[in-house]
Amino acid sequence: MTVTTRREGNVGYVELDNPPVNAIGLSVRSGLLEAVYWAEKENLERVIVSGKGGMFAAGADAKEFDSAPVEPHLPDVLNAIDESHIPWIAAIEGVALGGGAEIALACRMRIMAPKAKIGFPEVTLGVIPGAGGTQRLPHLIGLANSVNMITTGKPLGAQQALEIGLIHEVDEEPIESAFMVNSEALGCIVPARDLPPAAHDAEAMAAARERLQAKSAGQIAPLRAIEVIEQGLALPLEEGLAIERQAFLELRSSEQAKALRHMFFSERAAKAPASLTAKPVALEHVAIVGGGTMGSGIAYALLNAGLKVTILENDNDGVERANNNVESIISASLKRGMINDAAATEHRERFTATTDYAQVSNATLAIEAAYESMEVKREVFAALEKALPADAILSSNTSYLDLNEIASSVTDPSRVIGLHFFAPAHIMKLLEIVRGEQTSDTALATGYALAKILRKIPVVVGVCDGFVGNRILARYREAADTILMDGSTPWEIDEAMVEFGYAMGPYAAQDLSGLDIAHANRRRQDSTRDPARRYIPIADRMVELGKLGRKTGAGWYRYPGGAGRVEDPIVADLAIEEAHFAGIKRVDYTADEIRERLLLAMINEAADILDEGIAASASDIDLVAVAGYGFPRWRGGLMGYADSIGASSIVGKLEQLAKEDAVVWKVSPLLQSCATDGLLLCDVQGGGTFSA
Ligand code: 3H9
């Protein structure tokens, strides 16, 4: 039974009991409807609905969204609650989200615990509220507030919900409080449906649409939500609900909703597997080697999670730089209201920067974030081995280097693991956990435990140049540079990718990270690069000219006075010049052709990564692409997107391109076999490191 009922005097108590989040699936819907009939039959004075386990309800069960809807439908169940002559009270602990919040809207009264949250995150799943949210909410909190809640999907805390009139009361014990509500007062509460409709506000709606255009370009659900809310203002509730239902059902089976569900469940699946039974080391004190941008960002993330952090540096200048870097993140977070004064003081107290390795003698984890040189890393690991306890885990934040070689610099390589953070490390959600040949289960469990503490998305990857993310990035940039050489400008390429859904294109992004990093990497790869592979020299010329990106005021774009970026005709000329030297007749690529080439290059490489077992699954690659590299979430990640095109179509396109360059566009064997066997990439299990 996922819904239980009991009678206490004249009061009915209905409890949702569908762990872990009381998702509203078929049995909950049926149970609720029966509860309505039961309460009426028992002629109760009121009904209190709540959720077991300190959780009201996380919304409709999204696992049901892939099949046809089954009766009783949630809107009908909620209409029954709304129209019942017995008033229902929602006593909300934990979260009331989506359909959960809609249950609360159908109740006469809503009482929330101070720490509870209420919201409508449906747009994050590519749908809109489909059980009255778009129709009942505006009656309660007005048009602008409703549009804001529904189009952003951001939940509100109890106090905020009270202030805007969404709920009636905040109480530490909402269930007890619901029992105590004065019957007369309860009878005086006007149900949402009977309140006057919200007034239309054309200006606010135009502003909301503009905001969405800037923030959620390409996404259908938020705009559709505004449309449905607006339509409902002029209609009786039943008609508004019918329009809402139709829009919800259409969106539920859309490609975007499918893609977002894929991402939602992939994110939830990213956690330590049950088969990993080893215990992580206890995490209290962590040593970080290097206090540059990456090291200090990692340090702040760890401080924020309550850990003690010591940054190790080479000399006093390094110590000063580390102190300044960490302090500037603490102050910026304080200024933005992300932490309060007390937290800032605590962070400072738990942080030290030093040259003295003896100060980390009780650290159980070390994260090396030093210069990307094998020689440096080997020296650092040898020093860490001497300084930390023998069972401490030693990790490297290397983006490209061979973790197995790094591990060979210590006596026990099973202690070594890669923890690849993404800049800014205190903000970016992704953590690539690199499993070396000898990495122990304890080290792996520690990587997962750290990700959990930091609330990051862990993705375990195998050892190769660039692991999953940077290996795909290298192909993305290679495809972009080839197009740049052969016909386009950086801004045309960037615009094509922004139109696809990236927040910025590859050149604007590289200006942010700095052109020198990729340059150093290319030099490292010089000796192993396939001589048959075409090499595009434009980025090297940029570095020779000192155009390293934003930090030098110019990169692929110019940044006059540190302000916004402007196109730089010198860069376009440079590409034309290099093409001329190479005897290339430049062509005009359309935005579609640009997008196709960049995306195919990434998909092809990702398929190899999966085939080689560098990633365990296609959805892990999707997490990396979305959480680490800005691939649009609503496209379902790189592999989810590839599956929406289909392997045989992808192979056909790659074969066409291979006529231009057989080395670069060599079709991945995995794509070939998916095309032949009609398989989805998302159904393929990674081989290599991850094969059973
Ligand atoms: C909707 O409501 C439509 C209606 O308007 C109209 C209907 C007609 N469905 O996140 P966690 C699972 S659309 C199915 O790790 P946390 C999740 O997969 C819905 N399963 O925990 C995981 O399973 P597993 C609108 C769900 O404590 C487990 O629960 N609602 C759902 O970090 C634990 O989840 C939303 O978009 C679901 N709706 O966070 C809310 N939700 O253990 C989505 C969770 O097998 N949910 N699961 O991996 C959330 O935001 C978070 O899960 C929540 C808990 C904050 C509730």
Side-chain angles (χ1 to χ4, degrees):
M1 290 257 277
T2 54
V3 177
T4 59
T5 53
R6 78 168 185 265
R7 188 181 171 133
E8 288 192 24
N10 275 341
V11 178
Y13 180 66
V14 175
E15 190 174 61
L16 311 185
D17 182 8
N18 189 23
V21 293
N22 291 331
I24 309 162
L26 174 61
S27 69
V28 172
R29 296 196 303 274
S30 307
L32 270 175
L33 193 58
E34 276 168 30
V36 177
Y37 300 146
W38 164 77
E40 287 176 355
K41 199 165 130 242
E42 298 272 319
N43 205 17
L44 297 169
E45 180 232 307
R46 74 183 65 172
V47 173
I48 297 164
V49 58
S50 189
K52 196 168 180 179
M55 154 81 71
F56 192 76
D61 186 343
K63 290 195 186 98
E64 291 184 351
F65 287 7
D66 284 321
S67 353
V70 177
E71 286 184 335
H73 305 304
L74 191 59
D76 299 332
V77 175
L78 300 192
N79 283 343
I81 292 177
D82 192 5
E83 286 159 13
S84 174
H85 66 274
I86 297 168
W88 280 51
I89 305 176
I92 302 170
E93 293 172 315
V95 298
L97 297 176
E102 288 172 306
I103 295 179
L105 291 187
C107 292
R108 186 74 57 87
M109 185 181 189
R110 291 160 286 283
I111 305 174
M112 274 174 85
K115 291 201 173 131
K117 296 216 180 282
I118 185 164
F120 300 88
E122 283 89 341
V123 292
T124 63
L125 287 172
V127 294
I128 60 170
T134 66
Q135 303 302 304
R136 290 190 178 95
L137 189 64
H139 286 264
L140 290 167
I141 65 171
L143 182 60
N145 281 333
S146 303
V147 165
N148 191 34
M149 273 192 92
I150 290 174
T151 58
T152 62
K154 288 199 183 120
L156 298 183
Q159 200 52 41
Q160 277 172 298
L162 182 69
E163 277 160 22
I164 62 170
L166 174 51
I167 62 165
H168 301 87
E169 218 178 284
V170 178
D171 196 293
E172 282 289 353
E173 302 293 343
I175 300 167
E176 272 175 36
S177 174
F179 273 101
M180 309 288 288
V181 171
N182 175 300
S183 301
E184 233 173 89
L186 180 60
C188 289
I189 295 177
V190 182
R193 75 184 127 87
D194 293 336
L195 289 168
H200 193 252
D201 181 344
E203 223 173 278
M205 290 309 94
R209 286 193 165 92
E210 216 171 287
R211 238 183 1 256
L212 287 179
Q213 194 50 41
K215 284 206 128 186
S216 327
Q219 296 189 56
I220 301 164
L223 285 171
R224 195 71 195 276
I226 297 189
E227 214 175 279
V228 171
I229 295 170
E230 268 182 323
Q231 283 173 314
L233 297 178
L235 295 172
L237 184 69
E238 321 70 81
E239 288 178 38
L241 287 174
I243 288 174
E244 177 194 73
R245 177 75 181 160
Q246 196 190 341
F248 169 78
L249 289 177
E250 271 171 33
L251 289 168
R252 180 184 184 270
S253 55
S254 68
E255 280 301 320
Q256 283 195 10
K258 244 180 160 167
L260 286 165
R261 282 201 295 281
H262 165 65
M263 290 313 301
F264 176 83
F265 287 114
S266 300
E267 283 156 7
R268 262 80 202 162
K271 54 187 165 202
S275 56
L276 183 65
T277 50
K279 274 209 158 123
V281 299
L283 291 170
E284 277 169 28
H285 181 193
V286 179
I288 297 176
V289 182
T293 311
M294 194 46 104
S296 50
I298 298 171
Y300 180 81
L302 299 177
L303 290 169
N304 228 6
L307 300 174
K308 181 181 169 197
V309 178
T310 302
I311 287 187
L312 296 162
E313 267 292 350
N314 278 339
D315 51 30
N316 291 342
D317 285 352
V319 168
E320 193 183 333
R321 184 185 59 149
N323 275 323
N324 290 342
N325 283 346
V326 171
E327 178 52 38
S328 74
I329 307 177
I330 294 176
S331 321
S333 305
L334 191 57
K335 208 164 143 198
R336 285 201 208 110
M338 289 155 89
I339 53 171
N340 59 21
D341 282 319
T345 307
E346 256 193 49
H347 286 19
R348 289 177 184 121
E349 283 168 3
R350 278 189 274 107
F351 174 67
T352 319
T354 178
T355 54
D356 179 12
Y357 273 60
Q359 291 198 27
V360 295
S361 60
N362 69 352
T364 50
L365 170 69
I367 304 173
E368 167 277 311
Y371 184 66
E372 282 284 75
S373 135
M374 186 54 77
E375 207 184 326
V376 171
K377 309 259 177 204
R378 291 181 67 94
E379 274 171 27
V380 167
F381 272 74
L384 288 172
E385 182 179 33
K386 279 193 201 127
L388 271 75
D391 55 354
I393 303 302
L394 308 178
S395 75
S396 172
N397 177 54
T398 183
S399 311
Y400 292 94
L401 299 182
D402 182 343
L403 186 79
N404 295 327
E405 196 180 334
I406 296 175
S408 70
S409 53
V410 298
T411 319
D412 176 8
S414 74
R415 299 165 70 187
V416 177
I417 192 165
L419 293 175
H420 182 212
F421 289 80
F422 290 75
H426 56 295
I427 293 173
M428 295 291 283
K429 282 274 174 211
L430 179 65
L431 180 67
E432 276 185 335
I433 299 178
V434 189
R435 184 157 98 180
E437 269 164 17
Q438 313 227 31
T439 299
S440 67
D441 280 1
T442 304
L444 197 58
T446 304
Y448 274 117
L450 184 74
K452 194 165 178 195
I453 295 174
L454 301 181
R455 303 171 76 88
K456 293 202 186 288
I457 298 172
V459 175
V460 173
V461 301
V463 177
C464 69
D465 199 322
F467 312 117
V468 170
N470 280 338
R471 183 167 152 185
I472 295 173
L473 177 69
R475 291 293 165 244
Y476 178 58
R477 284 187 176 157
E478 179 188 56
D481 285 357
T482 308
I483 292 173
L484 176 64
M485 179 88 158
D486 293 354
S488 299
T489 59
W491 27 103
E492 284 165 349
I493 296 168
D494 277 357
E495 201 179 319
M497 298 319 289
V498 168
E499 276 170 17
F500 179 75
Y502 276 91
M504 61 176 84
Y507 292 103
Q510 203 179 22
D511 272 358
L512 257 187
S513 56
L515 275 68
D516 45 337
I517 299 174
H519 180 260
N521 223 9
R522 287 195 296 277
R523 296 295 71 85
R524 187 178 55 76
Q525 292 164 332
D526 280 344
S527 57
T528 52
R529 185 176 299 112
D530 177 0
R533 199 166 187 109
R534 195 174 159 197
Y535 185 79
I536 308 292
I538 304 171
D540 291 345
R541 288 279 310 275
M542 297 283 291
V543 174
E544 282 161 23
L545 292 171
K547 288 175 173 289
L548 302 185
R550 276 174 189 257
K551 60 185 169 192
T552 54
W556 298 105
Y557 296 85
R558 281 193 306 113
Y559 300 88
R565 60 171 184 257
V566 291
E567 294 169 9
D568 186 352
I570 296 175
V571 173
D573 288 346
L574 196 66
I576 294 171
E577 197 178 290
E578 284 299 331
H580 174 72
F581 291 153
I584 288 162
K585 194 165 174 304
R586 298 182 95 229
V587 289
D588 262 346
Y589 291 104
T590 64
D592 279 337
E593 285 168 331
I594 293 171
R595 271 190 287 277
E596 185 170 281
R597 283 167 185 250
L598 267 60
L599 291 163
L600 287 173
M602 288 196 284
I603 292 168
N604 203 30
E605 190 68 20
D608 278 345
I609 284 173
L610 188 56
D611 207 16
E612 291 166 25
I614 296 300
S617 64
S619 54
D620 273 359
I621 295 176
D622 291 336
L623 291 174
V624 171
V626 171
Y629 297 83
F631 191 94
R633 194 171 184 275
W634 54 272
R635 297 265 190 194
L638 185 60
M639 302 305 247
Y641 174 70
D643 278 341
S644 74
I645 305 173
S648 57
S649 163
I650 292 170
V651 168
K653 288 173 183 181
L654 286 169
E655 282 170 350
Q656 268 315 105
L657 289 168
K659 289 181 188 158
E660 270 178 34
D661 186 332
V663 176
V664 167
W665 297 108
K666 182 170 177 283
V667 182
S668 159
L670 179 64
L671 276 171
Q672 282 285 16
S673 64
C674 282
T676 312
D677 302 339
L679 288 177
L680 293 176
L681 287 160
C682 286
D683 289 338
V684 173
Q685 202 57 35
T689 318
F690 297 98
S691 49

